[in-house]
PDB file of all heavy atoms in Angstrom:
ATOM      1  N   TYR A 286     -12.228 -15.965   8.246  1.00 49.00           N
ATOM      2  CA  TYR A 286     -13.305 -16.927   8.209  1.00 49.00           C
ATOM      3  C   TYR A 286     -14.639 -16.263   8.468  1.00 49.00           C
ATOM      4  O   TYR A 286     -15.670 -16.690   8.007  1.00 49.00           O
ATOM      5  CB  TYR A 286     -13.089 -18.005   9.267  1.00 49.00           C
ATOM      6  CG  TYR A 286     -11.921 -18.853   8.937  1.00 49.00           C
ATOM      7  CD1 TYR A 286     -11.125 -19.405   9.905  1.00 49.00           C
ATOM      8  CD2 TYR A 286     -11.606 -19.091   7.609  1.00 49.00           C
ATOM      9  CE1 TYR A 286     -10.051 -20.185   9.588  1.00 49.00           C
ATOM     10  CE2 TYR A 286     -10.525 -19.868   7.281  1.00 49.00           C
ATOM     11  CZ  TYR A 286      -9.761 -20.410   8.269  1.00 49.00           C
ATOM     12  OH  TYR A 286      -8.708 -21.178   7.945  1.00 49.00           O
ATOM     13  N   GLU A 289     -16.103 -15.561   5.331  1.00 46.00           N
ATOM     14  CA  GLU A 289     -16.437 -16.668   4.451  1.00 46.00           C
ATOM     15  C   GLU A 289     -17.344 -17.678   5.110  1.00 46.00           C
ATOM     16  O   GLU A 289     -18.102 -18.342   4.442  1.00 46.00           O
ATOM     17  CB  GLU A 289     -15.155 -17.354   3.992  1.00 46.00           C
ATOM     18  CG  GLU A 289     -14.246 -16.404   3.246  1.00 46.00           C
ATOM     19  CD  GLU A 289     -12.961 -17.105   2.906  1.00 46.00           C
ATOM     20  OE1 GLU A 289     -12.900 -18.307   3.116  1.00 46.00           O
ATOM     21  OE2 GLU A 289     -12.049 -16.440   2.431  1.00 46.00           O
ATOM     22  N   TYR A 333      -7.453 -17.062 -14.177  1.00 81.00           N
ATOM     23  CA  TYR A 333      -8.280 -18.163 -14.660  1.00 81.00           C
ATOM     24  C   TYR A 333      -8.646 -18.008 -16.113  1.00 81.00           C
ATOM     25  O   TYR A 333      -8.795 -16.910 -16.633  1.00 81.00           O
ATOM     26  CB  TYR A 333      -9.526 -18.350 -13.809  1.00 81.00           C
ATOM     27  CG  TYR A 333     -10.502 -17.197 -13.845  1.00 81.00           C
ATOM     28  CD1 TYR A 333     -11.478 -17.098 -14.835  1.00 81.00           C
ATOM     29  CD2 TYR A 333     -10.478 -16.229 -12.855  1.00 81.00           C
ATOM     30  CE1 TYR A 333     -12.385 -16.063 -14.848  1.00 81.00           C
ATOM     31  CE2 TYR A 333     -11.379 -15.196 -12.857  1.00 81.00           C
ATOM     32  CZ  TYR A 333     -12.336 -15.117 -13.854  1.00 81.00           C
ATOM     33  OH  TYR A 333     -13.218 -14.086 -13.846  1.00 81.00           O
TER      34      TYR A 333
ATOM     35  N   VAL B  75     -12.909 -21.266  -1.300  1.00 82.00           N
ATOM     36  CA  VAL B  75     -12.315 -22.061  -0.237  1.00 82.00           C
ATOM     37  C   VAL B  75     -12.720 -23.506  -0.473  1.00 82.00           C
ATOM     38  O   VAL B  75     -13.906 -23.832  -0.488  1.00 82.00           O
ATOM     39  CB  VAL B  75     -12.803 -21.614   1.156  1.00 82.00           C
ATOM     40  CG1 VAL B  75     -12.217 -22.517   2.220  1.00 82.00           C
ATOM     41  CG2 VAL B  75     -12.423 -20.175   1.398  1.00 82.00           C
ATOM     42  N   LYS B  92      -7.548 -27.745   3.504  1.00 76.00           N
ATOM     43  CA  LYS B  92      -8.287 -26.547   3.151  1.00 76.00           C
ATOM     44  C   LYS B  92      -7.393 -25.684   2.290  1.00 76.00           C
ATOM     45  O   LYS B  92      -6.213 -25.531   2.564  1.00 76.00           O
ATOM     46  CB  LYS B  92      -8.650 -25.799   4.421  1.00 76.00           C
ATOM     47  CG  LYS B  92      -9.404 -24.511   4.189  1.00 76.00           C
ATOM     48  CD  LYS B  92      -9.871 -23.975   5.506  1.00 76.00           C
ATOM     49  CE  LYS B  92      -8.732 -23.273   6.215  1.00 76.00           C
ATOM     50  NZ  LYS B  92      -8.443 -21.981   5.633  1.00 76.00           N
ATOM     51  N   HIS B  99     -10.413 -11.383 -11.783  1.00 68.00           N
ATOM     52  CA  HIS B  99     -11.023 -11.568 -13.071  1.00 68.00           C
ATOM     53  C   HIS B  99     -10.121 -10.954 -14.116  1.00 68.00           C
ATOM     54  O   HIS B  99      -9.739  -9.793 -14.019  1.00 68.00           O
ATOM     55  CB  HIS B  99     -12.389 -10.879 -13.095  1.00 68.00           C
ATOM     56  CG  HIS B  99     -13.037 -10.942 -14.441  1.00 68.00           C
ATOM     57  ND1 HIS B  99     -13.639 -12.070 -14.897  1.00 68.00           N
ATOM     58  CD2 HIS B  99     -13.151 -10.022 -15.407  1.00 68.00           C
ATOM     59  CE1 HIS B  99     -14.141 -11.833 -16.104  1.00 68.00           C
ATOM     60  NE2 HIS B  99     -13.854 -10.607 -16.441  1.00 68.00           N
ATOM     61  N   THR B 103      -8.212 -12.897 -20.398  1.00 44.00           N
ATOM     62  CA  THR B 103      -7.923 -14.335 -20.388  1.00 44.00           C
ATOM     63  C   THR B 103      -8.256 -14.897 -21.746  1.00 44.00           C
ATOM     64  O   THR B 103      -9.279 -14.608 -22.345  1.00 44.00           O
ATOM     65  CB  THR B 103      -8.774 -15.074 -19.354  1.00 44.00           C
ATOM     66  OG1 THR B 103     -10.118 -14.622 -19.441  1.00 44.00           O
ATOM     67  CG2 THR B 103      -8.256 -14.775 -17.962  1.00 44.00           C
TER      68      THR B 103
END
Side-chain angles (χ1 to χ4, degrees):
Chain A
Y286 292 147
E289 300 176 8
Y333 65 86
Chain B
V75 177
K92 179 172 79 75
H99 176 77
T103 45

